[in-house]
Amino acid sequence: MTDAMPASACRLLSRAECALWLQTHNQYLILCHAHPDGDTLGAGMGLRNLLRVMGKTAHLVCASPIPERLAFLTEERTQCTPEQLPAGFEWETVVTVDVASVPLLGDYAERFGGAVHLAIDHHGTNTLFAEAACVDGTLSACTELICNLGEEIFGWNDTDRLMPPEIAVPLYAGLLTDSGSFQYGAVTPRTHRRAAAMLASVQNAGLSHARIAERLWGSRPLPQVMAAKAAYEDLRFFCGGRVSLVTFTPKTMETYHLTDEDIDDVINLIRGIAGVRAAVHLKPRGEGVYKLSLRCAEGFNVARVAARFGGGGHACAAGCTIEGDAASAEAAIISALEEALAEESSGEACN
Ligand SMILES: [Mn+2]
């Protein structure tokens, strides 16, 4: 299913209006994006707990299983489905977090896509599929936006009015995830001020930054290591070494017994290579379809390249899908990147 409403039907809310909106609704169902990352789960749990502090009823669902390393964010649950919701709970208000467009809801796109009341997001490319939206494309993470809402409603800060730790922990985990541990371009002094408010609460509860980072990255599952091995075996360069590329074919997935989740991190392995401006990673998504992840160095824009294939994302982290076999999908993305790089270097030949 596609967007049920024209973009003009979506009411854009400021942070203050969104805070008021949350106060005037109840019986919340919060939707994360499929193949969840730390940000969508952190924002979802942070919002769920914020709403509960406000005296509301709120539950979280996600179309995909929760990766093991993120299960601590969902209170050690590996599934969050509508079927698991408490008996008698009937949702009235559907809110998405960190979801830029309906297809990202995965298997829940059809069921909920046309019935979202509010989208809270930090993707400037949000398609405004909901009735109302609070979108700030300048933020590093969606959890920053939830932090802002908590500040708006309760006046939480980093000194004498700390947010509860059950809100701070998921928010901080999401911020660490989506800012690349404060490495990426969207990190600002304000990001660090919000991080300070989260961390003050975390420490006050006897927890630590290191503990959260350890939960997120401290122990790499073996399949992820095998995925890295497979990736390095396939690693290829184009455009004079300015583009790095890895493709996982269905056969590679089978040979190494890999799941989608196992190979998610591969893009980060191939982006930080000397001379590489843009990295692209292809993985099979059903019969004859490849899902592409794109990353780039500051100053280049892979979201624009992804948009040519109907995708989107952030300037330095984007994605799209291309139909066809691996060779034709590779050829299509390389040629698009080649053009974009040539434009960037004002006509310099790319070979
Ligand atoms: Mn995010």
Side-chain angles (χ1 to χ4, degrees), residues 86-112:
F89 170 68
E90 284 184 28
W91 61 83
E92 288 168 7
T93 313
V94 178
V95 182
T96 58
V97 282
D98 198 37
V99 178
S101 64
V102 167
L104 296 173
L105 291 172
D107 288 347
Y108 292 165
E110 197 145 337
R111 182 166 176 189
F112 294 108

mmCIF file with all atom_site columns, all heavy atoms in Angstrom, residues 86-112:
data_model
loop_
_atom_site.group_PDB
_atom_site.id
_atom_site.type_symbol
_atom_site.label_atom_id
_atom_site.label_alt_id
_atom_site.label_comp_id
_atom_site.label_asym_id
_atom_site.label_entity_id
_atom_site.label_seq_id
_atom_site.pdbx_PDB_ins_code
_atom_site.Cartn_x
_atom_site.Cartn_y
_atom_site.Cartn_z
_atom_site.occupancy
_atom_site.B_iso_or_equiv
_atom_site.pdbx_formal_charge
_atom_site.auth_seq_id
_atom_site.auth_comp_id
_atom_site.auth_asym_id
_atom_site.auth_atom_id
_atom_site.pdbx_PDB_model_num
ATOM 1   N N   . PRO A 1 86  ? -1.441  -6.498 25.928 1.00 0.00 ? 86  PRO A N   1
ATOM 2   C CA  . PRO A 1 86  ? -2.287  -6.965 27.026 1.00 0.00 ? 86  PRO A CA  1
ATOM 3   C C   . PRO A 1 86  ? -3.750  -7.095 26.582 1.00 0.00 ? 86  PRO A C   1
ATOM 4   O O   . PRO A 1 86  ? -4.232  -6.263 25.809 1.00 0.00 ? 86  PRO A O   1
ATOM 5   C CB  . PRO A 1 86  ? -2.163  -5.857 28.080 1.00 0.00 ? 86  PRO A CB  1
ATOM 6   C CG  . PRO A 1 86  ? -0.960  -5.080 27.702 1.00 0.00 ? 86  PRO A CG  1
ATOM 7   C CD  . PRO A 1 86  ? -0.754  -5.248 26.233 1.00 0.00 ? 86  PRO A CD  1
ATOM 8   N N   . ALA A 1 87  ? -4.406  -8.150 27.070 1.00 0.00 ? 87  ALA A N   1
ATOM 9   C CA  . ALA A 1 87  ? -5.815  -8.350 26.726 1.00 0.00 ? 87  ALA A CA  1
ATOM 10  C C   . ALA A 1 87  ? -6.610  -7.125 27.162 1.00 0.00 ? 87  ALA A C   1
ATOM 11  O O   . ALA A 1 87  ? -6.361  -6.563 28.224 1.00 0.00 ? 87  ALA A O   1
ATOM 12  C CB  . ALA A 1 87  ? -6.337  -9.593 27.447 1.00 0.00 ? 87  ALA A CB  1
ATOM 13  N N   . GLY A 1 88  ? -7.530  -6.712 26.322 1.00 0.00 ? 88  GLY A N   1
ATOM 14  C CA  . GLY A 1 88  ? -8.380  -5.578 26.681 1.00 0.00 ? 88  GLY A CA  1
ATOM 15  C C   . GLY A 1 88  ? -7.838  -4.241 26.228 1.00 0.00 ? 88  GLY A C   1
ATOM 16  O O   . GLY A 1 88  ? -8.562  -3.247 26.236 1.00 0.00 ? 88  GLY A O   1
ATOM 17  N N   . PHE A 1 89  ? -6.539  -4.205 25.834 1.00 0.00 ? 89  PHE A N   1
ATOM 18  C CA  . PHE A 1 89  ? -6.002  -2.930 25.358 1.00 0.00 ? 89  PHE A CA  1
ATOM 19  C C   . PHE A 1 89  ? -6.504  -2.658 23.946 1.00 0.00 ? 89  PHE A C   1
ATOM 20  O O   . PHE A 1 89  ? -6.346  -3.480 23.049 1.00 0.00 ? 89  PHE A O   1
ATOM 21  C CB  . PHE A 1 89  ? -4.464  -2.946 25.362 1.00 0.00 ? 89  PHE A CB  1
ATOM 22  C CG  . PHE A 1 89  ? -3.854  -1.750 24.657 1.00 0.00 ? 89  PHE A CG  1
ATOM 23  C CD1 . PHE A 1 89  ? -3.974  -0.476 25.189 1.00 0.00 ? 89  PHE A CD1 1
ATOM 24  C CD2 . PHE A 1 89  ? -3.182  -1.908 23.448 1.00 0.00 ? 89  PHE A CD2 1
ATOM 25  C CE1 . PHE A 1 89  ? -3.416  0.630  24.540 1.00 0.00 ? 89  PHE A CE1 1
ATOM 26  C CE2 . PHE A 1 89  ? -2.628  -0.807 22.789 1.00 0.00 ? 89  PHE A CE2 1
ATOM 27  C CZ  . PHE A 1 89  ? -2.746  0.459  23.332 1.00 0.00 ? 89  PHE A CZ  1
ATOM 28  N N   . GLU A 1 90  ? -7.137  -1.511 23.768 1.00 0.00 ? 90  GLU A N   1
ATOM 29  C CA  . GLU A 1 90  ? -7.569  -1.116 22.430 1.00 0.00 ? 90  GLU A CA  1
ATOM 30  C C   . GLU A 1 90  ? -6.949  0.224  22.097 1.00 0.00 ? 90  GLU A C   1
ATOM 31  O O   . GLU A 1 90  ? -7.193  1.199  22.792 1.00 0.00 ? 90  GLU A O   1
ATOM 32  C CB  . GLU A 1 90  ? -9.100  -1.021 22.376 1.00 0.00 ? 90  GLU A CB  1
ATOM 33  C CG  . GLU A 1 90  ? -9.749  -2.388 22.329 1.00 0.00 ? 90  GLU A CG  1
ATOM 34  C CD  . GLU A 1 90  ? -11.254 -2.295 22.173 1.00 0.00 ? 90  GLU A CD  1
ATOM 35  O OE1 . GLU A 1 90  ? -11.730 -1.296 21.600 1.00 0.00 ? 90  GLU A OE1 1
ATOM 36  O OE2 . GLU A 1 90  ? -11.931 -3.229 22.637 1.00 0.00 ? 90  GLU A OE2 1
ATOM 37  N N   . TRP A 1 91  ? -6.120  0.230  21.047 1.00 0.00 ? 91  TRP A N   1
ATOM 38  C CA  . TRP A 1 91  ? -5.444  1.494  20.736 1.00 0.00 ? 91  TRP A CA  1
ATOM 39  C C   . TRP A 1 91  ? -6.384  2.448  20.027 1.00 0.00 ? 91  TRP A C   1
ATOM 40  O O   . TRP A 1 91  ? -7.288  2.045  19.297 1.00 0.00 ? 91  TRP A O   1
ATOM 41  C CB  . TRP A 1 91  ? -4.182  1.253  19.906 1.00 0.00 ? 91  TRP A CB  1
ATOM 42  C CG  . TRP A 1 91  ? -4.395  0.605  18.586 1.00 0.00 ? 91  TRP A CG  1
ATOM 43  C CD1 . TRP A 1 91  ? -4.756  1.207  17.420 1.00 0.00 ? 91  TRP A CD1 1
ATOM 44  C CD2 . TRP A 1 91  ? -4.231  -0.788 18.277 1.00 0.00 ? 91  TRP A CD2 1
ATOM 45  N NE1 . TRP A 1 91  ? -4.827  0.286  16.421 1.00 0.00 ? 91  TRP A NE1 1
ATOM 46  C CE2 . TRP A 1 91  ? -4.511  -0.932 16.905 1.00 0.00 ? 91  TRP A CE2 1
ATOM 47  C CE3 . TRP A 1 91  ? -3.857  -1.911 19.026 1.00 0.00 ? 91  TRP A CE3 1
ATOM 48  C CZ2 . TRP A 1 91  ? -4.434  -2.177 16.262 1.00 0.00 ? 91  TRP A CZ2 1
ATOM 49  C CZ3 . TRP A 1 91  ? -3.782  -3.129 18.378 1.00 0.00 ? 91  TRP A CZ3 1
ATOM 50  C CH2 . TRP A 1 91  ? -4.081  -3.250 17.021 1.00 0.00 ? 91  TRP A CH2 1
ATOM 51  N N   . GLU A 1 92  ? -6.179  3.726  20.330 1.00 0.00 ? 92  GLU A N   1
ATOM 52  C CA  . GLU A 1 92  ? -6.941  4.788  19.678 1.00 0.00 ? 92  GLU A CA  1
ATOM 53  C C   . GLU A 1 92  ? -6.017  5.684  18.865 1.00 0.00 ? 92  GLU A C   1
ATOM 54  O O   . GLU A 1 92  ? -6.446  6.338  17.927 1.00 0.00 ? 92  GLU A O   1
ATOM 55  C CB  . GLU A 1 92  ? -7.613  5.678  20.745 1.00 0.00 ? 92  GLU A CB  1
ATOM 56  C CG  . GLU A 1 92  ? -8.761  5.020  21.461 1.00 0.00 ? 92  GLU A CG  1
ATOM 57  C CD  . GLU A 1 92  ? -9.194  5.825  22.688 1.00 0.00 ? 92  GLU A CD  1
ATOM 58  O OE1 . GLU A 1 92  ? -8.689  6.951  22.880 1.00 0.00 ? 92  GLU A OE1 1
ATOM 59  O OE2 . GLU A 1 92  ? -10.028 5.303  23.454 1.00 0.00 ? 92  GLU A OE2 1
ATOM 60  N N   . THR A 1 93  ? -4.751  5.722  19.277 1.00 0.00 ? 93  THR A N   1
ATOM 61  C CA  . THR A 1 93  ? -3.823  6.680  18.697 1.00 0.00 ? 93  THR A CA  1
ATOM 62  C C   . THR A 1 93  ? -2.570  5.956  18.208 1.00 0.00 ? 93  THR A C   1
ATOM 63  O O   . THR A 1 93  ? -1.893  5.313  19.008 1.00 0.00 ? 93  THR A O   1
ATOM 64  C CB  . THR A 1 93  ? -3.419  7.725  19.765 1.00 0.00 ? 93  THR A CB  1
ATOM 65  O OG1 . THR A 1 93  ? -4.596  8.186  20.435 1.00 0.00 ? 93  THR A OG1 1
ATOM 66  C CG2 . THR A 1 93  ? -2.702  8.891  19.127 1.00 0.00 ? 93  THR A CG2 1
ATOM 67  N N   . VAL A 1 94  ? -2.304  6.054  16.914 1.00 0.00 ? 94  VAL A N   1
ATOM 68  C CA  . VAL A 1 94  ? -1.147  5.362  16.341 1.00 0.00 ? 94  VAL A CA  1
ATOM 69  C C   . VAL A 1 94  ? -0.057  6.388  16.023 1.00 0.00 ? 94  VAL A C   1
ATOM 70  O O   . VAL A 1 94  ? -0.296  7.369  15.323 1.00 0.00 ? 94  VAL A O   1
ATOM 71  C CB  . VAL A 1 94  ? -1.547  4.581  15.065 1.00 0.00 ? 94  VAL A CB  1
ATOM 72  C CG1 . VAL A 1 94  ? -0.338  3.899  14.442 1.00 0.00 ? 94  VAL A CG1 1
ATOM 73  C CG2 . VAL A 1 94  ? -2.634  3.557  15.395 1.00 0.00 ? 94  VAL A CG2 1
ATOM 74  N N   . VAL A 1 95  ? 1.128   6.150  16.575 1.00 0.00 ? 95  VAL A N   1
ATOM 75  C CA  . VAL A 1 95  ? 2.248   7.076  16.384 1.00 0.00 ? 95  VAL A CA  1
ATOM 76  C C   . VAL A 1 95  ? 3.443   6.309  15.823 1.00 0.00 ? 95  VAL A C   1
ATOM 77  O O   . VAL A 1 95  ? 3.777   5.233  16.334 1.00 0.00 ? 95  VAL A O   1
ATOM 78  C CB  . VAL A 1 95  ? 2.664   7.734  17.721 1.00 0.00 ? 95  VAL A CB  1
ATOM 79  C CG1 . VAL A 1 95  ? 3.802   8.728  17.509 1.00 0.00 ? 95  VAL A CG1 1
ATOM 80  C CG2 . VAL A 1 95  ? 1.483   8.431  18.376 1.00 0.00 ? 95  VAL A CG2 1
ATOM 81  N N   . THR A 1 96  ? 4.081   6.825  14.778 1.00 0.00 ? 96  THR A N   1
ATOM 82  C CA  . THR A 1 96  ? 5.308   6.203  14.278 1.00 0.00 ? 96  THR A CA  1
ATOM 83  C C   . THR A 1 96  ? 6.505   7.007  14.774 1.00 0.00 ? 96  THR A C   1
ATOM 84  O O   . THR A 1 96  ? 6.428   8.220  14.942 1.00 0.00 ? 96  THR A O   1
ATOM 85  C CB  . THR A 1 96  ? 5.343   6.164  12.739 1.00 0.00 ? 96  THR A CB  1
ATOM 86  O OG1 . THR A 1 96  ? 5.233   7.504  12.232 1.00 0.00 ? 96  THR A OG1 1
ATOM 87  C CG2 . THR A 1 96  ? 4.229   5.314  12.174 1.00 0.00 ? 96  THR A CG2 1
ATOM 88  N N   . VAL A 1 97  ? 7.618   6.295  14.999 1.00 0.00 ? 97  VAL A N   1
ATOM 89  C CA  . VAL A 1 97  ? 8.860   6.968  15.387 1.00 0.00 ? 97  VAL A CA  1
ATOM 90  C C   . VAL A 1 97  ? 9.988   6.552  14.455 1.00 0.00 ? 97  VAL A C   1
ATOM 91  O O   . VAL A 1 97  ? 10.191  5.369  14.209 1.00 0.00 ? 97  VAL A O   1
ATOM 92  C CB  . VAL A 1 97  ? 9.262   6.644  16.853 1.00 0.00 ? 97  VAL A CB  1
ATOM 93  C CG1 . VAL A 1 97  ? 8.441   7.455  17.836 1.00 0.00 ? 97  VAL A CG1 1
ATOM 94  C CG2 . VAL A 1 97  ? 9.157   5.163  17.158 1.00 0.00 ? 97  VAL A CG2 1
ATOM 95  N N   . ASP A 1 98  ? 10.702  7.540  13.911 1.00 0.00 ? 98  ASP A N   1
ATOM 96  C CA  . ASP A 1 98  ? 11.867  7.276  13.048 1.00 0.00 ? 98  ASP A CA  1
ATOM 97  C C   . ASP A 1 98  ? 11.457  6.582  11.741 1.00 0.00 ? 98  ASP A C   1
ATOM 98  O O   . ASP A 1 98  ? 12.247  5.871  11.156 1.00 0.00 ? 98  ASP A O   1
ATOM 99  C CB  . ASP A 1 98  ? 12.902  6.425  13.820 1.00 0.00 ? 98  ASP A CB  1
ATOM 100 C CG  . ASP A 1 98  ? 14.294  6.468  13.204 1.00 0.00 ? 98  ASP A CG  1
ATOM 101 O OD1 . ASP A 1 98  ? 14.696  7.538  12.719 1.00 0.00 ? 98  ASP A OD1 1
ATOM 102 O OD2 . ASP A 1 98  ? 14.977  5.419  13.208 1.00 0.00 ? 98  ASP A OD2 1
ATOM 103 N N   . VAL A 1 99  ? 10.207  6.776  11.319 1.00 0.00 ? 99  VAL A N   1
ATOM 104 C CA  . VAL A 1 99  ? 9.697   6.127  10.106 1.00 0.00 ? 99  VAL A CA  1
ATOM 105 C C   . VAL A 1 99  ? 9.494   7.196  9.034  1.00 0.00 ? 99  VAL A C   1
ATOM 106 O O   . VAL A 1 99  ? 8.614   8.044  9.146  1.00 0.00 ? 99  VAL A O   1
ATOM 107 C CB  . VAL A 1 99  ? 8.357   5.409  10.385 1.00 0.00 ? 99  VAL A CB  1
ATOM 108 C CG1 . VAL A 1 99  ? 7.804   4.772  9.107  1.00 0.00 ? 99  VAL A CG1 1
ATOM 109 C CG2 . VAL A 1 99  ? 8.526   4.350  11.476 1.00 0.00 ? 99  VAL A CG2 1
ATOM 110 N N   . ALA A 1 100 ? 10.330  7.160  7.977  1.00 0.00 ? 100 ALA A N   1
ATOM 111 C CA  . ALA A 1 100 ? 10.298  8.223  6.969  1.00 0.00 ? 100 ALA A CA  1
ATOM 112 C C   . ALA A 1 100 ? 9.175   8.032  5.955  1.00 0.00 ? 100 ALA A C   1
ATOM 113 O O   . ALA A 1 100 ? 8.678   9.000  5.379  1.00 0.00 ? 100 ALA A O   1
ATOM 114 C CB  . ALA A 1 100 ? 11.643  8.310  6.257  1.00 0.00 ? 100 ALA A CB  1
ATOM 115 N N   . SER A 1 101 ? 8.771   6.760  5.733  1.00 0.00 ? 101 SER A N   1
ATOM 116 C CA  . SER A 1 101 ? 7.701   6.506  4.769  1.00 0.00 ? 101 SER A CA  1
ATOM 117 C C   . SER A 1 101 ? 7.021   5.185  5.109  1.00 0.00 ? 101 SER A C   1
ATOM 118 O O   . SER A 1 101 ? 7.588   4.344  5.821  1.00 0.00 ? 101 SER A O   1
ATOM 119 C CB  . SER A 1 101 ? 8.250   6.461  3.342  1.00 0.00 ? 101 SER A CB  1
ATOM 120 O OG  . SER A 1 101 ? 9.138   5.367  3.210  1.00 0.00 ? 101 SER A OG  1
ATOM 121 N N   . VAL A 1 102 ? 5.805   5.003  4.599  1.00 0.00 ? 102 VAL A N   1
ATOM 122 C CA  . VAL A 1 102 ? 4.987   3.841  4.949  1.00 0.00 ? 102 VAL A CA  1
ATOM 123 C C   . VAL A 1 102 ? 5.673   2.492  4.676  1.00 0.00 ? 102 VAL A C   1
ATOM 124 O O   . VAL A 1 102 ? 5.617   1.589  5.521  1.00 0.00 ? 102 VAL A O   1
ATOM 125 C CB  . VAL A 1 102 ? 3.608   3.925  4.244  1.00 0.00 ? 102 VAL A CB  1
ATOM 126 C CG1 . VAL A 1 102 ? 2.858   2.608  4.332  1.00 0.00 ? 102 VAL A CG1 1
ATOM 127 C CG2 . VAL A 1 102 ? 2.779   5.047  4.857  1.00 0.00 ? 102 VAL A CG2 1
ATOM 128 N N   . PRO A 1 103 ? 6.355   2.316  3.521  1.00 0.00 ? 103 PRO A N   1
ATOM 129 C CA  . PRO A 1 103 ? 6.959   0.994  3.275  1.00 0.00 ? 103 PRO A CA  1
ATOM 130 C C   . PRO A 1 103 ? 7.943   0.555  4.358  1.00 0.00 ? 103 PRO A C   1
ATOM 131 O O   . PRO A 1 103 ? 8.172   -0.638 4.546  1.00 0.00 ? 103 PRO A O   1
ATOM 132 C CB  . PRO A 1 103 ? 7.674   1.185  1.930  1.00 0.00 ? 103 PRO A CB  1
ATOM 133 C CG  . PRO A 1 103 ? 6.950   2.302  1.264  1.00 0.00 ? 103 PRO A CG  1
ATOM 134 C CD  . PRO A 1 103 ? 6.513   3.222  2.367  1.00 0.00 ? 103 PRO A CD  1
ATOM 135 N N   . LEU A 1 104 ? 8.514   1.514  5.082  1.00 0.00 ? 104 LEU A N   1
ATOM 136 C CA  . LEU A 1 104 ? 9.476   1.167  6.130  1.00 0.00 ? 104 LEU A CA  1
ATOM 137 C C   . LEU A 1 104 ? 8.805   0.476  7.323  1.00 0.00 ? 104 LEU A C   1
ATOM 138 O O   . LEU A 1 104 ? 9.481   -0.061 8.190  1.00 0.00 ? 104 LEU A O   1
ATOM 139 C CB  . LEU A 1 104 ? 10.235  2.414  6.603  1.00 0.00 ? 104 LEU A CB  1
ATOM 140 C CG  . LEU A 1 104 ? 11.105  3.073  5.523  1.00 0.00 ? 104 LEU A CG  1
ATOM 141 C CD1 . LEU A 1 104 ? 11.689  4.387  6.008  1.00 0.00 ? 104 LEU A CD1 1
ATOM 142 C CD2 . LEU A 1 104 ? 12.237  2.131  5.111  1.00 0.00 ? 104 LEU A CD2 1
ATOM 143 N N   . LEU A 1 105 ? 7.471   0.460  7.331  1.00 0.00 ? 105 LEU A N   1
ATOM 144 C CA  . LEU A 1 105 ? 6.768   -0.277 8.387  1.00 0.00 ? 105 LEU A CA  1
ATOM 145 C C   . LEU A 1 105 ? 6.800   -1.779 8.124  1.00 0.00 ? 105 LEU A C   1
ATOM 146 O O   . LEU A 1 105 ? 6.325   -2.570 8.937  1.00 0.00 ? 105 LEU A O   1
ATOM 147 C CB  . LEU A 1 105 ? 5.316   0.198  8.500  1.00 0.00 ? 105 LEU A CB  1
ATOM 148 C CG  . LEU A 1 105 ? 5.118   1.621  9.037  1.00 0.00 ? 105 LEU A CG  1
ATOM 149 C CD1 . LEU A 1 105 ? 3.663   2.043  8.913  1.00 0.00 ? 105 LEU A CD1 1
ATOM 150 C CD2 . LEU A 1 105 ? 5.579   1.722  10.487 1.00 0.00 ? 105 LEU A CD2 1
ATOM 151 N N   . GLY A 1 106 ? 7.349   -2.178 6.972  1.00 0.00 ? 106 GLY A N   1
ATOM 152 C CA  . GLY A 1 106 ? 7.482   -3.604 6.666  1.00 0.00 ? 106 GLY A CA  1
ATOM 153 C C   . GLY A 1 106 ? 6.125   -4.272 6.562  1.00 0.00 ? 106 GLY A C   1
ATOM 154 O O   . GLY A 1 106 ? 5.210   -3.751 5.917  1.00 0.00 ? 106 GLY A O   1
ATOM 155 N N   . ASP A 1 107 ? 5.975   -5.403 7.227  1.00 0.00 ? 107 ASP A N   1
ATOM 156 C CA  . ASP A 1 107 ? 4.733   -6.175 7.150  1.00 0.00 ? 107 ASP A CA  1
ATOM 157 C C   . ASP A 1 107 ? 3.537   -5.432 7.752  1.00 0.00 ? 107 ASP A C   1
ATOM 158 O O   . ASP A 1 107 ? 2.400   -5.848 7.563  1.00 0.00 ? 107 ASP A O   1
ATOM 159 C CB  . ASP A 1 107 ? 4.895   -7.519 7.869  1.00 0.00 ? 107 ASP A CB  1
ATOM 160 C CG  . ASP A 1 107 ? 5.786   -8.467 7.087  1.00 0.00 ? 107 ASP A CG  1
ATOM 161 O OD1 . ASP A 1 107 ? 6.066   -8.170 5.905  1.00 0.00 ? 107 ASP A OD1 1
ATOM 162 O OD2 . ASP A 1 107 ? 6.215   -9.489 7.658  1.00 0.00 ? 107 ASP A OD2 1
ATOM 163 N N   . TYR A 1 108 ? 3.786   -4.361 8.491  1.00 0.00 ? 108 TYR A N   1
ATOM 164 C CA  . TYR A 1 108 ? 2.674   -3.602 9.068  1.00 0.00 ? 108 TYR A CA  1
ATOM 165 C C   . TYR A 1 108 ? 2.243   -2.432 8.186  1.00 0.00 ? 108 TYR A C   1
ATOM 166 O O   . TYR A 1 108 ? 1.330   -1.681 8.547  1.00 0.00 ? 108 TYR A O   1
ATOM 167 C CB  . TYR A 1 108 ? 3.027   -3.081 10.457 1.00 0.00 ? 108 TYR A CB  1
ATOM 168 C CG  . TYR A 1 108 ? 3.178   -4.171 11.504 1.00 0.00 ? 108 TYR A CG  1
ATOM 169 C CD1 . TYR A 1 108 ? 3.782   -3.906 12.722 1.00 0.00 ? 108 TYR A CD1 1
ATOM 170 C CD2 . TYR A 1 108 ? 2.703   -5.462 11.270 1.00 0.00 ? 108 TYR A CD2 1
ATOM 171 C CE1 . TYR A 1 108 ? 3.918   -4.905 13.685 1.00 0.00 ? 108 TYR A CE1 1
ATOM 172 C CE2 . TYR A 1 108 ? 2.850   -6.459 12.222 1.00 0.00 ? 108 TYR A CE2 1
ATOM 173 C CZ  . TYR A 1 108 ? 3.454   -6.178 13.422 1.00 0.00 ? 108 TYR A CZ  1
ATOM 174 O OH  . TYR A 1 108 ? 3.586   -7.159 14.372 1.00 0.00 ? 108 TYR A OH  1
ATOM 175 N N   . ALA A 1 109 ? 2.906   -2.285 7.033  1.00 0.00 ? 109 ALA A N   1
ATOM 176 C CA  . ALA A 1 109 ? 2.610   -1.131 6.165  1.00 0.00 ? 109 ALA A CA  1
ATOM 177 C C   . ALA A 1 109 ? 1.142   -1.121 5.754  1.00 0.00 ? 109 ALA A C   1
ATOM 178 O O   . ALA A 1 109 ? 0.465   -0.096 5.806  1.00 0.00 ? 109 ALA A O   1
ATOM 179 C CB  . ALA A 1 109 ? 3.516   -1.151 4.945  1.00 0.00 ? 109 ALA A CB  1
ATOM 180 N N   . GLU A 1 110 ? 0.651   -2.288 5.350  1.00 0.00 ? 110 GLU A N   1
ATOM 181 C CA  . GLU A 1 110 ? -0.721  -2.368 4.869  1.00 0.00 ? 110 GLU A CA  1
ATOM 182 C C   . GLU A 1 110 ? -1.723  -2.164 6.005  1.00 0.00 ? 110 GLU A C   1
ATOM 183 O O   . GLU A 1 110 ? -2.705  -1.451 5.872  1.00 0.00 ? 110 GLU A O   1
ATOM 184 C CB  . GLU A 1 110 ? -0.950  -3.724 4.212  1.00 0.00 ? 110 GLU A CB  1
ATOM 185 C CG  . GLU A 1 110 ? -2.171  -3.747 3.352  1.00 0.00 ? 110 GLU A CG  1
ATOM 186 C CD  . GLU A 1 110 ? -1.964  -4.635 2.130  1.00 0.00 ? 110 GLU A CD  1
ATOM 187 O OE1 . GLU A 1 110 ? -0.810  -4.867 1.729  1.00 0.00 ? 110 GLU A OE1 1
ATOM 188 O OE2 . GLU A 1 110 ? -2.970  -5.110 1.614  1.00 0.00 ? 110 GLU A OE2 1
ATOM 189 N N   . ARG A 1 111 ? -1.404  -2.812 7.140  1.00 0.00 ? 111 ARG A N   1
ATOM 190 C CA  . ARG A 1 111 ? -2.327  -2.795 8.273  1.00 0.00 ? 111 ARG A CA  1
ATOM 191 C C   . ARG A 1 111 ? -2.459  -1.406 8.902  1.00 0.00 ? 111 ARG A C   1
ATOM 192 O O   . ARG A 1 111 ? -3.550  -0.986 9.281  1.00 0.00 ? 111 ARG A O   1
ATOM 193 C CB  . ARG A 1 111 ? -1.815  -3.794 9.308  1.00 0.00 ? 111 ARG A CB  1
ATOM 194 C CG  . ARG A 1 111 ? -2.701  -3.929 10.516 1.00 0.00 ? 111 ARG A CG  1
ATOM 195 C CD  . ARG A 1 111 ? -2.295  -5.173 11.284 1.00 0.00 ? 111 ARG A CD  1
ATOM 196 N NE  . ARG A 1 111 ? -3.060  -5.301 12.508 1.00 0.00 ? 111 ARG A NE  1
ATOM 197 C CZ  . ARG A 1 111 ? -2.779  -6.198 13.453 1.00 0.00 ? 111 ARG A CZ  1
ATOM 198 N NH1 . ARG A 1 111 ? -1.762  -7.021 13.279 1.00 0.00 ? 111 ARG A NH1 1
ATOM 199 N NH2 . ARG A 1 111 ? -3.505  -6.271 14.532 1.00 0.00 ? 111 ARG A NH2 1
ATOM 200 N N   . PHE A 1 112 ? -1.316  -0.704 9.027  1.00 0.00 ? 112 PHE A N   1
ATOM 201 C CA  . PHE A 1 112 ? -1.333  0.559  9.766  1.00 0.00 ? 112 PHE A CA  1
ATOM 202 C C   . PHE A 1 112 ? -1.042  1.790  8.903  1.00 0.00 ? 112 PHE A C   1
ATOM 203 O O   . PHE A 1 112 ? -1.272  2.919  9.328  1.00 0.00 ? 112 PHE A O   1
ATOM 204 C CB  . PHE A 1 112 ? -0.301  0.518  10.898 1.00 0.00 ? 112 PHE A CB  1
ATOM 205 C CG  . PHE A 1 112 ? -0.624  -0.486 11.980 1.00 0.00 ? 112 PHE A CG  1
ATOM 206 C CD1 . PHE A 1 112 ? 0.108   -1.647 12.102 1.00 0.00 ? 112 PHE A CD1 1
ATOM 207 C CD2 . PHE A 1 112 ? -1.670  -0.250 12.860 1.00 0.00 ? 112 PHE A CD2 1
ATOM 208 C CE1 . PHE A 1 112 ? -0.185  -2.578 13.097 1.00 0.00 ? 112 PHE A CE1 1
ATOM 209 C CE2 . PHE A 1 112 ? -1.976  -1.161 13.859 1.00 0.00 ? 112 PHE A CE2 1
ATOM 210 C CZ  . PHE A 1 112 ? -1.234  -2.330 13.980 1.00 0.00 ? 112 PHE A CZ  1
#
